Amino acid sequence: MEMGLERVVATGGRQRAASLPLSSCDSALEPKGRRSPGDLRPSRARRCFSVEVQPPFPHLMLAFLARAPRPLLSGSAGSPRRAMAAAARQGLRSSSSSSKKLVECFYDVLSPYSWLGFEVLCRYRPIWNMELRFRPVFLGGIMHSTGNRPPALVPKKGEYMTKDLLRMAKFYQVPLHLVKDFLGSVLEKGSLKAMRFVTAVDMAEPQFLEPVSRELWMRIWSRDEDINQPESILAAAERAGLSSDQARKLLEMSSSPEVKNRLKATTDEALKYGAFGLPCFVAHVNEEPHLLFGSDRLELLGHLLGEKWLGPVPTSSKL
């Protein structure tokens, strides 16, 4: 942003000029007192350009101004300062979009902590310079492959988890509630059918991946409802915006070998990154993947991305 203005002037006036930072021109254009930018006069613009170029022949500068686009000479919206600021913002947007860092979110709707991390990342998607990619996997396969055990099976961990989930839900502002029959709803029924359906959505209707996942979380972790019966899955899909026909086709597709293989492949990919539970986030920085486990590691994720952590519920007042 410290580029000299002489390049623009030299091009328009066809003459060479000494380098002067853009900030120097900004100060020359800054209105005094409480006057609005609309009060800038062409004389100020000419004074700024004359400082930049110091033309030996005034008629050359007048010729340059005459050839300048009309916005450059028209009030606040077209002042040189605003025109160049707009160009700079456009350049920043172009460069930032091409340099977004990939963040993969591996999750299963059976995992309440995955829901917390999922919602917070959705809130940061327009704030952080990242490409967020949701990767549905099967938690049961990860636990089995790594020899991990559900925390609820360890008495003290289970006791802590019930309290921790309620605290986290309130802090993260997610409508999460405990299920009454944890053993039956979570450990025995599992989520294989639900995650096959989510995978089918990801393959055939990816624009519905986020709302379908959220509705399944809402069923089990907010309303204590089933997520594996066909009618339960269809109800969640239709509530997420899919038509009845679309939902039924996806439900049929979810039992196909293609979907089963896709879910297994994505689960294996998470394992190769080092996953042993969910949620897992993989940040790709400088062509190197960084695995982070748990919804309480999002502040560290921001640090890896070079972004500012604004809490679980970022607001415009914090920006």
Side-chain angles (χ1 to χ4, degrees), residues 66-191:
R67 287 194 300 271
R70 288 189 61 84
L72 186 63
L73 304 172
S74 57
S76 62
S79 66
R81 182 184 179 189
R82 284 179 176 266
M84 297 193 71
R89 286 194 299 271
Q90 182 63 38
L92 287 174
R93 281 196 294 267
S94 300
S95 61
S96 63
S97 61
S98 62
S99 61
K100 284 186 176 181
K101 298 180 178 66
L102 174 63
V103 174
E104 298 179 273
C105 173
F106 293 91
Y107 70 94
D108 185 318
V109 297
L110 194 66
S111 163
Y113 288 103
S114 289
W115 188 16
L116 299 175
F118 180 96
E119 295 295 352
V120 174
L121 281 181
C122 285
R123 296 166 189 166
Y124 272 90
R125 183 166 43 195
I127 299 175
W128 284 354
N129 187 36
M130 65 176 174
E131 177 191 345
L132 180 58
R133 186 178 302 171
F134 293 121
R135 308 297 305 279
V137 296
F138 180 45
L139 177 59
I142 291 178
M143 301 292 281
H144 177 75
S145 296
T146 58
N148 199 357
R149 298 179 64 195
L153 295 182
V154 181
K156 284 298 181 181
K157 283 186 178 181
E159 181 182 341
Y160 174 81
M161 179 180 170
T162 58
K163 298 176 182 177
D164 185 58
L165 278 175
L166 295 178
R167 284 193 298 256
M168 292 282 283
K170 184 177 181 180
F171 182 55
Y172 279 50
Q173 296 186 25
V174 174
L176 186 153
H177 304 286
L178 300 178
V179 298
K180 294 179 180 177
D181 182 14
F182 186 88
L183 180 62
S185 298
V186 179
L187 299 184
E188 291 181 0
K189 290 184 179 180
S191 62

Side-chain angles (χ1 to χ4, degrees), residues 54 61 89 138 169 216 300:
Q54 298 177 353
M61 179 51 60
R89 286 194 299 271
F138 180 45
L216 288 168
L300 182 56

